[in-house]
Amino acid sequence: MDRKIKEVEFVIFDTETTGLDHKNGDRIVEIAAIRFQAQKKLGQFHSLVNPDRRISPRAFEVNRISQAMLENAPRMESILPEFLDFIQGSCLCSYNIPFDLGFLNNELTLAGQKQLEHPEMADILVMSRRLLPKLESHALSFVAEQLGIEDQQRHRAFSDVELTWEVFRRLEDILGEKGVSGFESFLRLFGASSKLLNSLNAQKMARIEEAIEQGLKLKIRYFSSAGAQVSTRQVMPREIRIDQRQAYLVGFCFLRNEERTFRIDCILDMEVI
């Protein structure tokens, strides 16, 4: 049975770094996280980090973290065990998670540890883009302002985590207003683990193939990316089409009375009828 979003423990984390590219040697200089469930804070994590290298002038202009502030800070290898314990068993989130996760995995590699294989991850930037498709920008500060959040982005890890949490809470409310409360549906829309998403899509495609073979209709709940709307459709499936690594259900839609194409990752749930 699909868990409800409110039943899941989430961790939102953020990093500040010496620069923008860990592949060119940039390192984490600050890391912070908040753990919460049902919009209630359960705990928090924060530490400056000695990166064993200079901070770029451009990074300092953004986060105002100086070299002197980091001289007596712990090194990342001593922080990682506590941080990994803090996120254990959670759905790990960030605003633009590929950036923060890339730096975190780089630190794990440098510490001689395997990269993070967190089973449940989500990108709050993707959440913003999908739920607020008409915004002209999805920069964190702009999204927060549009959602009526007065706090400003300070480009320090913990304050940005707090701001991201506020954005997440507003977006979760919007999602609930659309009738989406299941955690699996949440992951289908905003998940950041390709392994998990591929598994979820494979399950859906298997059910679609079975319906096609038996000549049965499907009742689907579909999230439209264009208008950020959820609708219920009855569809006679005809085929599964793969186009540029995106999978689609092609079939006759009885609501529109014509053949339509549906992104499989936007099908929230389905049943054979």
Side-chain angles (χ1 to χ4, degrees):
M1 186 175 179
D2 188 11
R3 289 175 291 167
K4 300 298 183 183
I5 297 171
K6 65 181 181 180
E7 298 173 339
V8 176
E9 292 189 15
F10 290 84
V11 169
I12 292 174
F13 82 108
D14 184 64
T15 62
E16 297 298 329
T17 62
T18 61
L20 297 176
D21 191 354
H22 61 81
K23 294 179 181 178
N24 286 330
D26 284 315
R27 303 284 303 274
I28 292 175
V29 296
E30 188 177 33
I31 186 167
I34 289 175
R35 189 173 183 122
F36 61 95
Q37 181 185 11
Q39 300 193 357
K40 179 181 178 181
K41 184 189 289 188
L42 302 176
Q44 62 188 50
F45 181 96
H46 174 253
S47 182
L48 289 170
V49 184
N50 187 330
D52 288 320
R53 65 160 292 168
R54 304 293 297 179
I55 299 174
S56 70
R58 193 168 186 178
F60 174 74
E61 288 177 8
V62 173
N63 56 42
R64 311 308 291 180
I65 297 175
S66 68
Q67 212 69 37
M69 293 168 64
L70 303 175
E71 287 180 0
N72 297 317
R75 285 170 171 75
M76 196 65 191
E77 58 266 26
S78 67
I79 297 169
L80 282 170
E82 185 181 355
F83 180 77
L84 294 176
D85 183 64
F86 183 80
I87 68 175
Q88 184 70 29
S90 71
C91 176
L92 187 64
C93 304
S94 177
Y95 204 87
N96 189 17
I97 198 169
F99 178 86
D100 294 300
L101 189 62
F103 270 90
L104 179 58
N105 277 329
N106 180 62
E107 296 291 349
L108 285 165
T109 299
L110 293 174
Q113 300 186 43
K114 64 179 182 180
Q115 295 196 349
L116 197 65
E117 295 181 357
H118 210 72
E120 295 170 345
M121 296 187 291
D123 193 338
I124 301 171
L125 172 59
V126 173
M127 197 176 180
S128 172
R129 286 172 173 165
R130 286 200 147 183
L131 292 177
L132 305 170
K134 296 181 180 180
L135 286 189
E136 60 191 73
S137 169
H138 288 276
L140 177 60
S141 58
F142 185 80
V143 172
E145 180 182 354
Q146 297 304 303
L147 291 172
I149 299 169
E150 295 182 359
D151 293 344
Q152 296 184 349
Q153 186 175 12
R154 296 179 174 85
H155 296 288
R156 289 296 303 269
F158 192 74
S159 62
D160 283 2
V161 162
E162 290 185 309
L163 182 61
T164 304
W165 184 31
E166 287 293 330
V167 167
F168 179 93
R169 291 162 68 179
R170 305 293 176 91
L171 293 176
E172 184 187 351
D173 288 342
I174 293 172
L175 193 63
E177 291 168 2
K178 297 180 183 299
V180 181
S181 60
F183 182 56
E184 187 174 299
S185 295
F186 174 89
L187 289 176
R188 291 185 194 281
L189 293 174
F190 318 121
S193 169
S194 58
K195 183 177 180 180
L196 178 61
L197 290 175
N198 288 339
S199 174
L200 292 173
N201 286 338
Q203 293 173 30
K204 281 188 285 187
M205 286 191 285
R207 295 184 66 187
I208 293 168
E209 291 283 8
E210 184 178 355
I212 292 172
E213 291 174 4
Q214 297 180 13
L216 299 173
K217 290 192 293 185
L218 291 170
K219 181 180 179 180
I220 67 173
R221 271 204 319 146
Y222 188 71
F223 181 89
S224 172
S225 297
Q229 297 297 320
V230 177
S231 60
T232 300
R233 313 284 188 98
Q234 289 188 23
V235 179
M236 180 61 74
R238 187 170 63 82
E239 66 171 318
I240 292 174
R241 182 180 301 161
I242 309 295
D243 183 13
Q244 296 181 346
R245 294 187 295 182
Q246 185 64 253
Y248 299 89
L249 161 63
V250 180
F252 183 85
C253 174
F254 291 89
L255 178 65
R256 303 298 185 189
N257 201 33
E258 63 181 2
E259 183 172 281
R260 305 282 286 190
T261 300
F262 304 92
R263 278 179 52 160
I264 287 179
D265 64 335
C266 290
I267 298 174
L268 301 177
D269 47 60
M270 69 173 71
E271 61 177 303
V272 175
I273 57 175

